[in-house]
Amino acid sequence: MDKQFRKAKSLNEIIELCKRRGFIFHSSEIYGGMQGIYDYGPLGVELKNNLKQSWWKEIVHKRDDVEGLDSAILTHCLTLRYSQHESTFSDPMVDCKKCKSRFRADKVTDNKCIDCGSQELSDIRQFNLMFKCAFGALEEKGNYAYLRPETAQSIFINFKNILDSTSRKIPFGIAQIGKAFRNEITARNFIFRTREFEQMEIEFFVEKGDDEKWHQHWIEERLSWWKEQGLSEENLRLFKQPKEELSHYAKATVDILYKFPHGFDEIEGIANRADFDLGSHSRENHNLNLDSKVMENVDSTIILSTKNNQGENIIPFVIEPSAGVDRGILAILVEAYTRETLNDGNERIVLKLKPHLAPYKLAIIPLARNNEKIVNKAKALTNAIKKMGIGRIKYEDSGNIGKSYRRHDEIGTPYCITVDFQTFEDEDETVTVRERDSMLQKRIPIEKLLHNLKRSSTILDFDCFEILEL
Amino acid sequence: MDKQFRKAKSLNEIIELCKRRGFIFHSSEIYGGMQGIYDYGPLGVELKNNLKQSWWKEIVHKRDDVEGLDSAILTHCLTLRYSQHESTFSDPMVDCKKCKSRFRADKVTDNKCIDCGSQELSDIRQFNLMFKCAFGALEEKGNYAYLRPETAQSIFINFKNILDSTSRKIPFGIAQIGKAFRNEITARNFIFRTREFEQMEIEFFVEKGDDEKWHQHWIEERLSWWKEQGLSEENLRLFKQPKEELSHYAKATVDILYKFPHGFDEIEGIANRADFDLGSHSRENHNLNLDSKVMENVDSTIILSTKNNQGENIIPFVIEPSAGVDRGILAILVEAYTRETLNDGNERIVLKLKPHLAPYKLAIIPLARNNEKIVNKAKALTNAIKKMGIGRIKYEDSGNIGKSYRRHDEIGTPYCITVDFQTFEDEDETVTVRERDSMLQKRIPIEKLLHNLKRSSTILDFDCFEILEL
């Protein structure tokens, strides 16, 4: 079939689909919403879980040199003092003295309040982006904790715990998926820049001298993984941060950029952080002969060192591939979203998600909703497939077959399986398998379908449904 | 083999194992720790993910009547005002006027400060258990958000979004797994009562009149699921809360209790919340003829109603099975932990976890670490199994075979597979499979092992390793 197609013209088309089909909702809408906060709906939670699991399997399960971690969100103030987040993790801000609005200083380009136009603006001040909470019952003693602004710090402070419990030697890494929080002055671009978001971070510990080789290794690994999630080569770009723009802790950083509707922007950063992190959290760190400039640590109870191959105690260098889950989801949705004009003049929206990411793996459709035989067979088939544990399966009896196909095109279901009248005419009880992207259909005996699905596990492939009749 | 065994005498045995083997660490230890906050290490994160996935598959993937959700942790203050958390989610507290310590009032039994013995105590005051954060850049305008004290509220406020995007009709449920936060005055019993914890919650919406039947359904379902996670019948108990102890929103609540070292205590509560929740978050709720006493809602933009079978608009009743992930993990560890005195007088610790929950599914051990042929074969086998995606697999070459077995007994690995000299003597390249609990061993050809593993997927069963030789 010949088809004309186009991608989303703006983010709004994606946002509209996300709300209508239950991928992503603006949080607390019934109370006016919260800026920069989103909830993942029934389809969004499956897509997000699938993406996180794909990462975890690739990084922790497949490799031999990475351990996992799942640490707390509430973080000790000393952790974020010595990481220098307390002193440096901030944006410049100005206040309007007239209407009391507050802006990021770089957004106020002509010295006038964006809200009321007044020129009575305050001096530029630094606004720390961390969320702070009173912690414990003793508020008056000044106990407080932060919501972590990144998952990385809890990896560093657990370095010794993980060494001791796993007997690891460098080079090795620690991986973590989890929520992080930043009180952005201006959250924007849907789930691209939010105040609550999820990260997939690796801290990979190596000996100084091996760091550049490992940095390169991780840049290649990560780029290749994003392609496996469906992002196409022409929409991806590597960006090496210029020396003068590097963060104080970084020796070198390469960002993976994706072509969003708002332009190329970062979905992952891969930084060579040298010995800044383990050095920062070590006691007596001013005697450790570090490469990095750290704050003198008078609180840590431990030196975060390990032995190299020569048996010398060293503070390892760190390579950090740090990816955004939500930004990844947005990139995947942008890439997958397609509007097609079909030969008959009709239009369809199709979400060309990789099968391992699709919220529903399959939809099982009874052709006639009032035919008991067809309905029972379709339900039995649904239950048989559900037992395989290959992901979420939809028993779809909400409308006619054409509408069902369109609905599942729009939410990215790779295959629709239809039980129809011919199912009972064929001796071997065949069903129709329809592929989302090509809209091609095949007939296959139920027994063969079940056998092939079991064999192919979560990695569905249209070839696994052997053609019997077109 | 005849064995004598005993369970853990106290929680300390479990805590010690958890730290030594990398299940659970006290958070921020290098900075003195945070009371009631814990991090899951390399083995803990796998166990926790496995438990959460088991729940999600059971509730969202297998059933036809539940949708998933993954909403934000930062919660609108109005959500928690109308849920009455702002006014009632608190514990009674007293201060010592002398040493400024603070206690839960019910812990101060003899009118003396627990810390300094002073009798100069303050009056009892209510201490709200919610964590509060300034939200957005406009602190002076009083913008704030809470860390959610339960995942439930964000399900209720998304009720209409999910109805609209899925075309659901009652009875149906919404399920969510996620972090929740309570600033407990006294956190205690390891991961049983913590300040940051994870919940697995279902809000199941039904018509009034059907509520008691569905309440019973969920009590049975949930009890049966906990048994499938390995908790034994004699350590589980149902507790029906007496009418006079019920929360203000509950019509009836049944708790599932587990026999912890500190006594029987709750791992899940199944409440009949009537129309309290959807009623509380509806506008004009004083005109809705609700069964429950709610706060008059002057902020919500919507009425959270749906149509029943007769086409009437109703506010559904809610059945809420609410389980604690961390409490579940603790119960599972307590149940699994076994100290055995073997016939030869040696002792072993064995963690009798169900295979689907075990952090490592298999350990592959080369009998001789210096024999290239054995090492290469063991590595090739490890990689072949890893490709199947059945969970985390350990290539174990850290010590002699006896020590490797003990190590994997202690962390609950169900099977150890050893490549030895006989592997190359047998025509069909056999390996040894050793079962954790019985310590029985079998020989099996590699090809058959791979075939059986592929077939059995994540549900490993010793019978799948056909016996060739004992």
Side-chain angles (χ1 to χ4, degrees):
Chain A
M1 248 180 274
D2 219 29
K3 289 167 300 199
Q4 286 193 306
F5 70 93
R6 68 165 179 84
K7 294 290 176 181
K9 281 182 189 156
S10 76
L11 210 47
N12 288 338
E13 283 183 70
I14 310 276
I15 296 171
E16 187 276 331
L17 175 70
C18 282
K19 174 159 192 198
R20 183 164 45 85
R21 288 306 193 187
F23 282 93
I24 299 161
F25 308 125
H26 187 192
S27 194
S28 309
E29 241 180 349
I30 71 167
Y31 292 120
M34 293 174 84
Q35 208 208 342
I37 307 281
Y38 293 89
D39 297 338
Y40 285 78
L43 300 185
V45 59
E46 299 293 333
L47 172 57
K48 194 181 181 195
N49 285 346
N50 289 340
L51 186 69
K52 291 192 285 181
Q53 278 170 28
S54 167
W55 187 90
W56 192 262
K57 281 181 181 176
E58 179 75 20
I59 304 298
V60 182
H61 289 184
K62 263 202 207 161
R63 295 182 67 106
D64 284 322
D65 55 3
V66 177
E67 297 288 345
L69 181 71
D70 181 9
S71 68
I73 287 167
L74 286 169
T75 301
H76 202 291
C77 51
L78 291 177
T79 301
L80 293 157
R81 183 165 308 154
Y82 289 111
S83 69
Q84 299 186 25
H85 280 83
E86 272 195 345
S87 54
T88 67
F89 197 65
S90 52
D91 274 344
M93 190 178 65
V94 290
D95 289 313
C96 171
K97 288 181 182 170
K98 201 168 162 202
C99 77
K100 308 291 181 204
S101 289
R102 183 167 278 185
F103 307 98
R104 244 174 72 175
D106 55 340
K107 301 286 160 195
V108 183
T109 46
D110 56 356
N111 290 318
K112 275 187 190 176
C113 171
I114 297 169
D115 276 2
C116 74
S118 158
Q119 294 198 329
E120 290 178 63
L121 299 178
S122 72
D123 290 341
I124 292 173
R125 286 181 302 139
Q126 290 300 315
F127 177 74
N128 195 293
L129 299 180
M130 291 196 293
F131 287 101
K132 196 174 177 175
C133 285
F135 181 79
L138 299 162
E139 276 177 68
E140 62 282 68
K141 286 194 182 165
N143 277 343
Y144 60 95
Y146 292 107
L147 305 192
R148 60 181 176 198
E150 58 179 32
T151 69
Q153 294 306 321
S154 53
I155 295 180
F156 302 129
I157 62 170
N158 274 303
F159 180 70
K160 204 75 180 177
N161 279 331
I162 291 175
L163 273 187
D164 290 348
S165 57
T166 63
S167 316
R168 281 283 181 188
K169 289 181 178 56
I170 54 167
F172 84 100
I174 302 172
Q176 176 161 236
I177 299 177
K179 288 270 176 94
F181 299 79
R182 296 178 189 179
N183 200 359
E184 300 282 352
I185 299 174
T186 42
R188 64 179 182 277
N189 291 325
F190 193 36
I191 55 169
F192 183 82
R193 186 176 302 279
T194 57
R195 288 176 171 154
E196 174 172 344
F197 55 101
E198 208 155 3
Q199 295 184 304
M200 307 183 284
E201 293 198 308
I202 307 159
E203 307 300 329
F204 200 83
F205 303 98
V206 303
E207 185 156 12
K208 178 181 172 177
D210 289 345
D211 52 318
E212 292 180 13
K213 182 187 74 189
W214 278 104
H215 193 203
Q216 198 50 43
H217 165 86
W218 278 109
I219 294 165
E220 287 158 22
E221 283 289 307
R222 298 303 305 140
L223 189 62
S224 141
W225 183 83
W226 281 113
K227 287 180 192 165
E228 282 161 29
Q229 310 318 307
L231 304 188
S232 64
E233 186 118 31
E234 74 253 33
N235 292 331
L236 288 165
R237 194 179 280 177
L238 289 181
F239 172 71
K240 193 170 167 20
Q241 291 188 9
K243 266 253 148 40
E244 60 276 16
E245 284 177 24
L246 287 174
S247 305
H248 59 281
Y249 53 75
K251 185 177 155 185
T253 298
V254 170
D255 292 335
I256 300 178
L257 310 182
Y258 181 77
K259 194 180 174 183
F260 290 101
H262 69 271
F264 272 98
D265 215 336
E266 182 189 350
I267 54 173
E268 176 156 358
I270 301 129
N272 181 343
R273 301 172 63 110
D275 53 8
F276 177 80
D277 305 292
L278 295 181
S280 289
H281 292 298
S282 289
R283 73 172 153 81
E284 296 166 28
N285 54 1
H286 275 202
N287 303 326
L288 292 174
N289 210 7
L290 299 171
D291 275 37
S292 308
K293 271 189 204 155
V294 299
M295 233 173 114
E296 184 167 2
N297 195 320
V298 295
D299 291 294
S300 171
T301 58
I302 212 161
I303 295 174
L304 297 171
S305 64
T306 188
K307 284 198 182 348
N308 67 5
N309 278 337
Q310 287 75 49
E312 302 157 338
N313 269 321
I314 59 156
I315 306 288
F317 270 39
V318 174
I319 307 300
E320 178 193 78
S322 170
V325 175
D326 312 84
R327 291 176 175 200
I329 297 280
L330 186 59
I332 285 162
L333 287 172
V334 166
E335 179 88 33
Y337 184 94
T338 313
R339 276 189 109 102
E340 284 183 355
T341 308
L342 306 177
N343 269 356
D344 61 7
N346 284 325
E347 202 187 47
R348 70 162 185 162
I349 296 175
V350 53
L351 216 49
K352 298 185 172 184
L353 297 171
K354 289 267 178 181
H356 75 279
L357 296 178
Y360 285 117
K361 302 303 171 196
L362 299 167
I364 320 291
I365 308 171
L367 187 70
R369 278 188 293 173
N370 302 320
N371 182 305
E372 204 181 333
K373 219 171 152 189
I374 287 181
V375 165
N376 287 345
K377 180 59 77 182
K379 283 189 178 168
L381 182 58
T382 306
N383 289 334
I385 297 175
K386 279 192 171 188
K387 278 198 187 120
M388 294 177 187
I390 58 171
R392 201 161 182 211
I393 307 297
K394 176 76 178 171
Y395 175 75
E396 182 64 72
D397 63 350
S398 65
N400 68 38
I401 187 81
K403 277 192 185 162
S404 295
Y405 284 163
R406 287 294 170 272
R407 173 181 154 79
H408 283 280
D409 286 345
E410 217 177 29
I411 64 178
T413 310
Y415 305 102
C416 287
I417 293 168
T418 305
V419 177
D420 54 21
F421 295 98
Q422 202 183 317
T423 303
F424 304 97
E425 287 163 23
D426 294 342
E427 204 182 316
D428 47 4
E429 292 201 324
T430 62
V431 289
T432 307
V433 179
R434 174 195 180 265
E435 200 210 19
R436 178 193 65 203
D437 298 353
S438 66
M439 301 188 283
L440 290 176
Q441 298 188 24
K442 298 175 181 181
R443 287 201 81 87
I444 181 171
I446 288 179
E447 206 178 312
K448 187 145 223 144
L449 172 78
L450 293 175
H451 176 81
N452 290 359
L453 280 177
K454 192 148 195 178
R455 214 188 42 191
S456 69
S457 147
T458 53
I459 303 123
L460 298 172
D461 178 351
F462 200 41
D463 294 337
C464 90
F465 307 109
E466 289 170 42
I467 296 184
L468 292 179
E469 182 191 305
L470 216 52
Chain B
M1 248 180 273
D2 219 30
K3 290 168 297 201
Q4 287 193 306
F5 70 92
R6 69 164 178 85
K7 294 290 177 183
K9 281 181 188 158
S10 77
L11 211 47
N12 288 338
E13 283 183 70
I14 309 275
I15 296 170
E16 187 275 332
L17 175 70
C18 281
K19 173 157 192 200
R20 183 163 46 84
R21 289 306 193 188
F23 281 92
I24 299 161
F25 308 124
H26 188 192
S27 194
S28 310
E29 241 182 350
I30 71 167
Y31 292 120
M34 293 173 84
Q35 209 207 344
I37 307 281
Y38 292 89
D39 297 338
Y40 285 78
L43 300 185
V45 60
E46 299 293 334
L47 172 57
K48 195 182 182 193
N49 285 346
N50 290 340
L51 186 70
K52 290 193 285 182
Q53 279 171 27
S54 167
W55 187 89
W56 193 261
K57 282 181 181 175
E58 179 75 20
I59 304 298
V60 182
H61 288 185
K62 262 200 208 162
R63 295 181 68 106
D64 284 323
D65 55 2
V66 178
E67 297 288 346
L69 180 71
D70 180 11
S71 68
I73 287 167
L74 286 169
T75 302
H76 203 290
C77 53
L78 291 176
T79 301
L80 293 157
R81 183 165 310 155
Y82 290 110
S83 70
Q84 300 187 24
H85 280 85
E86 271 194 346
S87 53
T88 66
F89 196 64
S90 52
D91 274 343
M93 190 179 63
V94 290
D95 289 311
C96 171
K97 290 182 182 170
K98 202 170 162 199
C99 78
K100 309 291 179 203
S101 290
R102 185 168 276 184
F103 307 97
R104 243 173 73 175
D106 55 342
K107 301 287 159 192
V108 182
T109 45
D110 55 358
N111 290 318
K112 277 188 191 174
C113 170
I114 297 168
D115 277 1
C116 77
S118 159
Q119 293 197 330
E120 291 178 63
L121 299 178
S122 74
D123 290 342
I124 291 173
R125 289 182 300 140
Q126 291 300 314
F127 177 74
N128 195 294
L129 298 181
M130 291 197 292
F131 287 102
K132 195 174 179 177
C133 285
F135 181 78
L138 298 161
E139 274 177 68
E140 62 280 68
K141 286 195 180 164
N143 276 345
Y144 61 93
Y146 292 106
L147 304 192
R148 61 181 176 198
E150 58 179 32
T151 69
Q153 294 307 320
S154 53
I155 294 181
F156 302 129
I157 62 170
N158 274 303
F159 179 70
K160 204 76 179 179
N161 279 331
I162 292 175
L163 272 188
D164 290 348
S165 58
T166 64
S167 316
R168 283 283 182 187
K169 289 182 176 56
I170 53 167
F172 84 99
I174 302 173
Q176 175 161 239
I177 300 178
K179 288 271 177 95
F181 299 80
R182 296 178 188 179
N183 200 1
E184 300 282 352
I185 299 173
T186 42
R188 64 179 181 277
N189 291 325
F190 192 36
I191 55 169
F192 183 81
R193 186 177 302 279
T194 57
R195 288 176 171 154
E196 173 173 345
F197 55 100
E198 208 155 3
Q199 295 185 304
M200 306 183 285
E201 293 197 308
I202 306 159
E203 307 300 330
F204 200 83
F205 303 98
V206 303
E207 183 155 14
K208 178 180 173 177
D210 289 344
D211 53 316
E212 291 180 15
K213 181 187 75 186
W214 278 105
H215 192 202
Q216 198 50 43
H217 165 87
W218 279 109
I219 294 165
E220 286 157 22
E221 283 290 307
R222 298 303 306 142
L223 189 61
S224 142
W225 183 82
W226 281 113
K227 287 180 192 163
E228 282 161 28
Q229 311 316 307
L231 304 188
S232 63
E233 185 118 33
E234 75 252 34
N235 293 331
L236 287 164
R237 194 179 281 176
L238 290 180
F239 173 72
K240 193 171 168 17
Q241 290 188 9
K243 265 251 147 44
E244 60 276 17
E245 285 177 25
L246 287 174
S247 307
H248 59 280
Y249 52 76
K251 184 176 157 188
T253 298
V254 170
D255 292 335
I256 300 178
L257 311 182
Y258 182 77
K259 194 180 176 184
F260 289 101
H262 68 270
F264 272 98
D265 215 336
E266 183 190 349
I267 53 172
E268 177 157 357
I270 300 128
N272 182 344
R273 302 172 64 111
D275 54 9
F276 177 80
D277 304 292
L278 295 181
S280 290
H281 293 297
S282 289
R283 72 174 154 80
E284 296 166 27
N285 54 2
H286 274 202
N287 303 326
L288 293 174
N289 210 7
L290 298 172
D291 274 38
S292 308
K293 270 189 203 152
V294 299
M295 233 173 112
E296 184 167 3
N297 195 320
V298 295
D299 291 292
S300 172
T301 58
I302 211 161
I303 295 175
L304 297 172
S305 64
T306 188
K307 285 198 180 348
N308 66 6
N309 277 338
Q310 287 75 51
E312 302 158 337
N313 268 323
I314 59 155
I315 306 286
F317 271 39
V318 174
I319 307 300
E320 177 192 80
S322 170
V325 175
D326 312 84
R327 291 176 176 200
I329 297 280
L330 187 59
I332 285 162
L333 287 172
V334 166
E335 180 88 32
Y337 183 94
T338 313
R339 275 189 110 102
E340 284 182 355
T341 308
L342 308 176
N343 270 357
D344 61 7
N346 285 323
E347 202 188 47
R348 71 162 184 160
I349 297 174
V350 53
L351 216 51
K352 298 185 172 184
L353 297 171
K354 289 267 180 182
H356 75 278
L357 297 177
Y360 285 117
K361 301 305 172 196
L362 299 167
I364 319 291
I365 308 172
L367 188 70
R369 278 189 292 171
N370 302 319
N371 183 305
E372 205 182 331
K373 219 169 151 188
I374 287 181
V375 165
N376 288 344
K377 180 60 75 182
K379 284 188 176 166
L381 182 58
T382 306
N383 290 334
I385 297 175
K386 280 191 170 188
K387 278 197 186 120
M388 294 176 186
I390 58 171
R392 200 162 182 210
I393 307 297
K394 176 77 178 171
Y395 175 76
E396 182 65 70
D397 64 349
S398 65
N400 68 39
I401 186 81
K403 278 191 183 163
S404 295
Y405 284 163
R406 287 295 170 275
R407 174 181 152 80
H408 283 281
D409 287 345
E410 217 176 29
I411 65 178
T413 310
Y415 305 103
C416 288
I417 292 169
T418 305
V419 176
D420 54 19
F421 294 98
Q422 203 183 316
T423 303
F424 304 98
E425 286 163 25
D426 295 342
E427 205 183 317
D428 47 4
E429 292 202 325
T430 62
V431 289
T432 308
V433 178
R434 174 195 180 267
E435 200 209 20
R436 177 193 65 202
D437 297 355
S438 66
M439 299 188 283
L440 289 176
Q441 297 187 25
K442 298 174 180 181
R443 289 200 79 86
I444 180 170
I446 288 180
E447 207 177 312
K448 187 145 223 143
L449 173 78
L450 292 176
H451 177 82
N452 290 358
L453 281 177
K454 192 148 196 179
R455 212 187 45 190
S456 68
S457 150
T458 52
I459 303 123
L460 298 172
D461 178 351
F462 199 41
D463 293 338
C464 89
F465 307 108
E466 288 170 42
I467 297 183
L468 293 179
E469 184 192 302
L470 216 54

